[in-house]
Amino acid sequence: MDIEDLRTFVEVADAGGVSAAALRLGISKSMVSRRLMRLEAELGVQLLARSTRGASLTEAGATFRDYAARVSAEIDVARETIVPAGELRGRLRVAAPLSFGPTHFAAVIAQMARRHPHLQIQTCYSDRFVDLIAEGYDCAIRVGTLQDSSLIARRVGPLYGSFVASPDYIKAHGSPETPDELVAHQALMQGTETWQVMDGDKVITVRPQGRFKADNGVALAVAAVAGLGIAALPDELIKDYLASGELVPVMKRHPPTPIGIYVVRPPGQHPARKVRVLTEMLIECFDHGPALPKTAYP
């Protein structure tokens, strides 16, 4: 029984169809179909009920899926054990944020690909919340405060930020000096959220109000430059605006609490070595100072 046939079946079962599985695997739909047919012929049972809307597991397929996933995982562990030290093979699927991803994390991922020429890497850059398990990702790089979940997280570095606004906004509405004053201003937010503000050694929770929201830090910075309100943004994202004077810091005595950069992965007893290697490279790059470096890797 071919291990790639097993992997393909698991991907189709988890993705809910041949097209989605082919996209995950980076192969053609016809190849996915051939592997499925070969596996079903080998087993002598139908694993998937196919229709124009996708593919659903038969009773036999639902039973076999967990066994196939465990076998595939064991093969990965065995392969990592016997390959030459330091060499990575197979495929690594990573989800990364659109803000910071291409400018800071992409260099680390590219360096990893250069060091491991037999490793296939697929990276999705998006600020939407990616479901690692449902969408078949090995791990994700996330920035901010993590929500409670079953995922396993490893912090790889700090990220510091500031409250900022445009000179025009401050001229029209004033500059808040305390957390109590901040809630009276227009806030530029990524969603319905709270802001964590430092008050000496204490952390104060502020519930800001605002009419402008976006799921991307760059878009919030542009909105702040346009004078729409006050934003809490990572320093690295706004450094050019601060240098040009298009944005100015406010609430200097009460900055946002530092947040973190994390690698998160689906639950499991042992993380894949490719995920461990990526995590170690990110720690080497980011866990050393008060802000993100200008360039992630030479």
Side-chain angles (χ1 to χ4, degrees), residues 8-268:
T8 301
F9 164 66
V10 173
E11 290 287 357
V12 173
D14 293 349
V18 170
S19 297
L23 186 61
R24 287 188 184 185
L25 293 167
I27 60 178
S28 67
K29 291 188 290 184
S30 60
M31 182 174 292
V32 171
S33 296
R34 285 199 299 272
R35 289 179 178 178
L36 291 175
M37 292 170 57
R38 188 165 57 209
L39 182 60
E40 288 178 328
E42 177 76 20
L43 294 170
V45 296
Q46 183 178 357
L47 300 173
L48 294 158
R50 301 163 180 81
S51 70
T52 55
R53 291 180 295 179
S56 59
L57 292 171
T58 63
E59 184 178 353
T63 301
F64 187 67
R65 185 262 169 215
D66 291 340
Y67 288 103
R70 285 199 295 270
V71 169
S72 297
E74 289 296 330
I75 289 293
D76 286 339
V77 172
R79 182 176 290 164
E80 287 185 355
T81 302
I82 63 173
V83 295
E87 183 177 330
L88 297 177
R89 294 179 179 269
R91 183 188 53 143
L92 175 65
R93 297 191 79 222
V94 184
L98 185 59
S99 303
F100 292 118
T103 54
H104 290 83
F105 304 141
V108 180
I109 296 170
Q111 181 73 359
M112 184 176 180
R114 191 179 70 82
R115 292 182 185 179
H116 302 280
H118 298 293
L119 180 67
Q120 301 176 37
I121 300 180
Q122 300 174 7
T123 309
C124 171
Y125 293 100
S126 173
D127 283 332
R128 72 178 179 85
F129 187 84
V130 174
D131 188 327
L132 301 187
I133 298 173
E135 299 182 47
Y137 283 89
D138 296 292
C139 65
I141 306 169
R142 290 183 176 161
V143 174
T145 303
L146 297 182
Q147 300 177 352
D148 291 336
S149 73
S150 62
L151 301 177
I152 297 173
R154 174 75 184 276
R155 186 179 183 275
V156 299
L159 189 62
Y160 294 84
S162 302
F163 292 110
V164 293
S166 71
D168 288 343
Y169 179 87
I170 293 174
K171 183 178 180 180
H173 303 282
S175 177
E177 298 293 337
T178 67
D180 288 339
E181 294 177 6
L182 181 62
V183 297
H185 284 262
Q186 283 289 316
L188 308 175
M189 300 177 287
Q190 291 199 9
T192 304
E193 68 231 48
T194 58
W195 283 350
Q196 304 296 315
V197 182
M198 298 300 299
D199 183 14
D201 294 333
K202 297 188 300 182
V203 176
I204 298 175
T205 299
V206 175
R207 291 175 173 79
Q209 302 294 320
R211 66 183 180 87
F212 187 93
K213 298 178 182 180
D215 65 353
N216 178 271
V218 176
L220 293 177
V222 172
V225 171
L228 296 181
I230 296 174
L233 294 169
D235 292 338
E236 184 70 12
L237 192 64
I238 55 176
K239 62 180 182 180
D240 291 340
Y241 291 122
L242 292 172
S244 68
E246 293 175 281
L247 291 177
V248 294
V250 299
M251 297 268 296
K252 287 185 178 181
R253 294 184 179 180
H254 300 280
T257 57
I259 57 178
I261 307 168
Y262 299 88
V263 173
V264 299
R265 63 177 177 84

